[in-house]
């Protein structure tokens, strides 16, 4: 059975990136059978650039929509010539230029294993192709998205990788019948986690997802598909809010029904906790994003229910089947430590000194104080302790009198502690005797 590939190219800005991507598609050693270009809210100039690219069809969208919706319209426009199981869809953006053998290598992967229905390439930096941006995705223990092999020098050290939990949307090759069966990307995930969620649902339906490390795609991460990566504070804050919204939505959508209800109900309280945590971590720029993301999910219960129905309808193997594909906590801690060191080294900065608040010291102290109160609440009603070895304290004068030096012998240091504590509770010095 002959494999037929339709490339879906989504653009909204045009320019040099789009020209290079069009040239990259045209230079493929295994050319796609058709190219459908989608002008996602771009100008007339972008539409003209797409029409002159030689695409088999150009779809115009008046206002910009999410990448998943743009792909859906492009897929609906494409022509089906045979069995859907022999049709594949290759998802590209104007800022993702495939290297000449990218499609051939990724096709070889899926053709060798009929159980593989989704495959992803090795995404490398647009300006520095020797740097790996992404090679598969996974989930942490608490359901956060985890991008594999971020910003590492590509020395083919991961070219043995195959099975992964998921891949990103850019460069994804997906069998068309699976795309139709799963309904494409979840409309609730507009920026983050759309590709990962689709792969999770494919896994739950009993299929496999792989990466093809020898299939390389240069990626500029300008926000056409997936988040925009920029060091501007406003962009970083927006990305944090979008990522938190996607995380909370997925976490509730993936949870058991009873747990999901209480997680949804507790979102306002969770937002307050995250605000407090952002203050402890000295990240005030995350505060508004934490509140906005929690309430965005809280006031869209219908989107959560729709996502849960979508998962339930196609799930045949259950969540235990994908547990082994999650990233383990130790790997997460190690990778994050390496990432922090790499970021500091690239900026020519030294690791900052440890601070009481930023390192969690205040959080530990607060937790210890709360625990102490919880364990000793019963003693608050007592003004003093009594026993065979305990003498009740009296006045402040007597407390300080015990600190005198007698016959050249200094007083016990603990008498100074009692004197200070008794002075703090001058109205009733006995209340400090429990210390």
């Amino acid at each position: 059975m002959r494999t037929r590939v339709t490339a879906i190219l989504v653009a909204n800005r045009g320019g040099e990136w789009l020209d290079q991507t069009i040239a990259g598609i045209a230079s493929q050693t295994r050319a796609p059978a058709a190219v459908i270009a989608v002008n996602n809210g771009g100008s007339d100039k972008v539409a003209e650039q797409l029409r002159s690219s030689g695409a088999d069809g150009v779809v115009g969208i008046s206002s910009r929509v999410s990448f998943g919706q743009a792909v859906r319209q492009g897929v609906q426009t494409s022509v089906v010539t045979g069995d859907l199981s022999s049709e594949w869809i290759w998802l590209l953006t104007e800022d993702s230029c495939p290297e000449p053998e990218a499609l051939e290598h990724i096709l070889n992967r899926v053709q060798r294993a009929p159980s593989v229905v989704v495959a992803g390439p090795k995404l490398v930096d647009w300006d520095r192709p020797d740097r790996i941006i992404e090679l598969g995705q996974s989930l942490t223990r608490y359901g956060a998205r985890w991008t594999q092999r971020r910003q590492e020098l590509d020395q083919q050290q991961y070219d043995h990788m195959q099975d992964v939990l998921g891949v990103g949307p850019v460069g994804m090759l997906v069998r068309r019948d699976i795309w139709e069966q799963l309904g494409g990307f979840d409309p609730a995930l507009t920026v983050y986690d759309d590709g990962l969620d689709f792969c999770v649902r494919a896994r739950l339906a009993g299929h496999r997802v792989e990466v093809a490390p020898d299939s390389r795609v240069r990626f500029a991460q300008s926000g056409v598909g997936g988040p925009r990566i920029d060091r501007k504070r406003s962009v970083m804050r927006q990305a944090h809010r979008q990522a938190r919204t996607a995380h909370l939505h997925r976490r509730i959508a993936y949870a058991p029904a009873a747990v999901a209800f209480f997680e949804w109900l507790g979102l306002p309280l969770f937002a307050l906790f995250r605000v407090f945590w952002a203050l402890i971590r000295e990240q005030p720029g995350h505060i508004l994003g934490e509140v906005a993301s929690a309430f965005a999910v809280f006031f869209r219960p219908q989107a959560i229910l729709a996502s849960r129905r979508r998962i339930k309808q196609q799930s045949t193997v259950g969540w235990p089947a994908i547990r082994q594909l999650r990233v383990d906590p130790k790997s997460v801690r190690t990778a994050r430590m390496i990432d922090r060191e790499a970021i500091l080294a690239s900026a020519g900065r030294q690791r900052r000194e440890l601070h009481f608040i930023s390192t969690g010291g205040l959080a530990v102290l607060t937790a210890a104080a709360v625990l102490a109160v919880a364990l000793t609440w019963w003693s608050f009603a007592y003004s003093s302790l009594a026993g065979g070895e305990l003498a009740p304290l009296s006045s402040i004068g007597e407390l300080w009198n015990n600190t005198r030096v007698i016959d050249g012998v200094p007083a016990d240091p603990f008498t100074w502690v009692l004197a200070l504590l008794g002075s703090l509770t001058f109205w009733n010095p006995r209340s400090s005797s429990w210390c």
Side-chain angles (χ1 to χ4, degrees):
M1 185 181 297
R2 180 172 175 78
T3 302
R4 187 177 189 273
V5 179
T6 299
I8 307 295
L9 174 60
V10 179
N12 58 22
R13 295 182 182 178
E16 183 181 351
W17 280 344
L18 180 55
D19 284 336
Q20 292 190 42
T21 299
I22 292 171
I25 297 174
S27 66
Q28 292 298 300
T29 56
R30 171 72 183 272
V35 178
I36 304 298
V38 181
N39 179 13
N40 188 12
S43 63
D44 294 337
K45 185 177 180 181
V46 176
E48 180 60 32
Q49 192 175 2
L50 292 174
R51 282 192 291 267
S52 62
S53 66
D56 297 273
V58 177
V59 180
I61 303 176
S62 58
S63 59
R64 186 175 179 182
V65 297
S66 68
F67 179 66
Q69 291 177 307
V71 169
R72 183 176 291 108
Q73 296 200 31
V75 171
Q76 291 173 351
T77 305
S78 63
V79 178
V80 179
T81 60
D83 186 5
L84 285 179
S85 62
S86 64
E87 298 265 350
W88 291 80
I89 304 168
W90 193 25
L91 310 185
L92 295 170
T93 58
E94 64 181 356
D95 59 346
S96 60
C97 178
E99 294 188 354
E101 297 180 343
L103 181 56
E104 181 179 358
H105 287 312
I106 199 170
L107 266 178
N108 289 339
R109 285 275 182 160
V110 300
Q111 288 175 336
R112 286 199 300 264
S115 59
V116 177
V117 299
V118 182
K122 178 191 292 181
L123 295 179
V124 298
D125 191 88
W126 183 280
D127 297 316
R128 297 188 299 170
D130 60 334
R131 295 283 176 176
I132 303 173
I133 291 179
E134 182 182 308
L135 189 59
Q137 297 182 2
S138 185
L139 293 172
T140 66
R141 174 188 295 177
Y142 301 108
R145 178 178 68 108
W146 183 254
T147 303
Q148 311 278 24
R149 321 306 173 196
R150 299 171 295 176
Q151 292 297 332
E152 283 193 44
L153 184 65
D154 185 10
Q155 298 175 317
Q156 300 181 344
Q157 67 271 40
Y158 302 117
D159 285 6
H160 63 281
M161 289 184 63
Q162 292 185 358
D163 279 273
V164 291
L165 179 56
V167 296
V170 177
M172 175 189 289
L173 184 71
V174 55
R175 215 168 70 190
R176 180 156 185 168
D177 61 331
I178 302 301
W179 176 268
E180 301 288 353
Q181 175 186 339
L182 299 180
F185 295 152
D186 190 335
L189 302 173
T190 57
V191 180
Y192 279 89
D193 298 353
D194 46 0
L196 174 61
D197 173 75
F198 181 84
C199 294
V200 168
R201 288 186 282 126
R203 283 280 185 182
L204 292 174
H207 306 295
R208 289 176 58 200
V209 179
E210 280 194 359
V211 290
D214 45 359
S215 174
R216 292 166 49 92
V217 175
R218 291 166 53 210
F219 188 32
Q221 298 178 282
S222 65
V224 181
R228 178 186 172 191
I229 304 301
D230 198 309
R231 300 305 298 175
K232 293 181 180 178
R233 289 189 177 182
S234 59
V235 176
M236 293 175 64
R237 289 173 180 173
Q238 182 185 38
H240 174 76
R241 175 180 56 79
Q242 293 169 338
R244 289 295 303 165
T245 302
H247 176 205
L248 293 174
H249 176 89
R250 280 191 307 95
R251 185 166 182 173
I252 298 176
Y254 292 174
V259 177
F261 173 75
F262 287 106
E263 285 186 345
W264 171 80
L265 196 63
L267 280 174
L269 292 178
F270 184 70
L272 293 177
F273 170 77
R274 292 289 300 186
V275 167
F276 178 69
W277 184 248
L279 291 173
I280 291 176
R281 298 289 297 173
E282 298 181 354
Q283 296 173 330
H286 291 173
I287 292 177
L288 292 179
E290 294 289 352
V291 175
S293 60
F295 281 93
V297 177
F298 182 76
F299 288 111
R300 290 190 305 168
Q302 69 281 0
I304 297 175
L305 293 175
S307 298
R308 294 182 63 84
R309 284 194 298 268
R310 190 176 290 107
I311 294 170
K312 185 178 180 180
Q313 288 171 358
Q314 304 299 333
S315 179
T316 59
V317 298
W319 290 99
I322 66 173
R323 187 173 299 153
Q324 61 181 352
L325 295 170
R326 288 177 178 258
V327 61
D328 62 280
K330 182 178 179 181
S331 298
V332 172
R333 290 193 298 269
T334 302
R336 285 176 176 169
M337 181 184 66
I338 294 174
D339 286 348
R340 286 193 294 267
E341 296 293 341
I343 291 173
L344 291 175
S346 63
R349 297 162 52 195
Q350 297 292 329
R351 187 173 182 178
R352 66 176 184 174
E353 296 181 1
L354 299 179
H355 294 284
F356 177 67
I357 296 179
S358 62
T359 56
L362 178 59
V364 173
L365 179 61
T366 303
V370 172
L371 183 62
V373 171
L375 294 177
T376 60
W377 61 270
W378 54 269
S379 65
F380 294 161
Y382 296 93
S383 61
S384 64
L385 297 180
E389 301 298 328
L390 293 175
L393 302 179
S394 53
S395 65
I396 295 179
E398 291 183 9
L399 290 176
W400 285 103
N401 188 53
N402 292 335
T403 64
R404 292 183 300 109
V405 177
I406 300 177
D407 297 331
V409 178
D412 190 315
F414 188 63
T415 60
W416 289 90
V417 176
L418 292 178
L420 290 172
L421 291 176
S423 298
L424 292 176
T425 55
F426 58 88
W427 61 91
N428 187 4
R430 292 170 176 266
S431 62
S432 64
S433 63
W434 64 273
C435 296

